[in-house]
Amino acid sequence: MNNPLFRPLIVFSIPVLILLVLAIPPVWTTMTGDVIKIKTAPVDPTDLFRGSYVALKYEIESVKPSQVDDSIKTEFHTRNMGDFKKVYVRLKQNKDGLYVVDYVTKEKPGKGVYLKGELEIPYDLQNAETIQIRYGLDNYFASEEKAKEMEKEALANPSVAVVKVRNGNVVLTDIIIK
């Protein structure tokens, strides 16, 4: 460690190690995750800095208060409205083969298909018909031509997102427009 050549090597290797650690969960999920399909609705196709993409909204992002575990609802009174709470969303497959929300809990489910998400504490808790959950699956990047074509087709026809899921981590792999 007294060799002066090791210091720059250590300094430059730390950011690389941090990036590798951050990349492991999505890569591992892509390689080994279960493939599921979720119903979507596109919103907007372009970002000047990141390129062309299709912005998506999912049906599983809106849950009924009855689907939220009571232990989470008790925290609504102690946290600020509009804040986000990390939750696990257990999914179940419906008769069409698509996955829908079964229930939302703060405890990691022991089995089955589940996603990690961020539940937004509702502003009007008493009258909230739905509660929003974010999964980080909002954008699907594509070439400019393909993104515009997908937007046109998806606005006219229903679309389905194909995602890979493993231990609550999720990676968007494809969009199927019917």
Side-chain angles (χ1 to χ4, degrees), residues 90-106:
R90 175 82 190 261
L91 302 176
K92 62 181 178 183
Q93 194 171 21
N94 67 13
K95 63 182 179 180
D96 298 327
L98 301 174
Y99 280 80
V100 296
V101 174
D102 187 15
Y103 64 88
V104 180
T105 181
K106 65 180 182 181

Side-chain angles (χ1 to χ4, degrees), residues 28-155:
W28 184 250
T29 301
T30 302
M31 293 173 54
T32 63
D34 297 326
V35 177
I36 67 170
K37 295 178 181 175
I38 305 168
K39 192 172 184 180
T40 66
V43 180
D44 188 359
T46 304
D47 183 330
L48 292 175
F49 298 106
R50 297 186 294 175
S52 296
Y53 67 94
V54 178
L56 300 167
K57 182 164 177 59
Y58 300 90
E59 281 188 356
I60 62 170
E61 289 180 325
S62 296
V63 299
K64 297 175 186 169
S66 62
Q67 295 173 305
V68 177
D69 189 58
D70 289 337
S71 63
I72 296 173
K73 290 178 186 174
T74 58
E75 291 188 23
F76 287 176
H77 301 291
T78 59
R79 296 179 143 230
N80 293 327
M81 294 176 193
D83 283 351
F84 289 91
K85 163 117 182 92
K86 291 187 179 188
V87 294
Y88 292 94
V89 179
R90 175 82 190 261
L91 302 176
K92 62 181 178 183
Q93 194 171 21
N94 67 13
K95 63 182 179 180
D96 298 327
L98 301 174
Y99 280 80
V100 296
V101 174
D102 187 15
Y103 64 88
V104 180
T105 181
K106 65 180 182 181
E107 303 295 327
K108 184 177 181 179
K111 61 181 179 177
V113 177
Y114 60 93
L115 304 176
K116 292 178 189 172
E118 291 183 329
L119 180 141
E120 182 177 8
I121 307 294
Y123 286 101
D124 188 7
L125 181 61
Q126 299 299 327
N127 300 319
E129 293 181 15
T130 62
I131 298 172
Q132 300 300 308
I133 299 177
R134 299 188 308 194
Y135 301 99
L137 292 171
D138 303 339
N139 303 324
Y140 179 75
F141 288 90
S143 67
E144 186 174 340
E145 298 84 29
K146 186 177 179 183
K148 287 182 180 179
E149 181 180 321
M150 289 177 73
E151 178 196 13
K152 287 179 185 174
E153 290 179 16
L155 288 174

Side-chain angles (χ1 to χ4, degrees), residues 23-35 163-166 169-173:
I24 288 173
V27 170
W28 184 250
T29 301
T30 302
M31 293 173 54
T32 63
D34 297 326
V35 177
V163 298
K164 286 200 169 186
V165 179
R166 182 160 187 91
N169 296 315
V170 60
V171 176
L172 177 61
T173 59

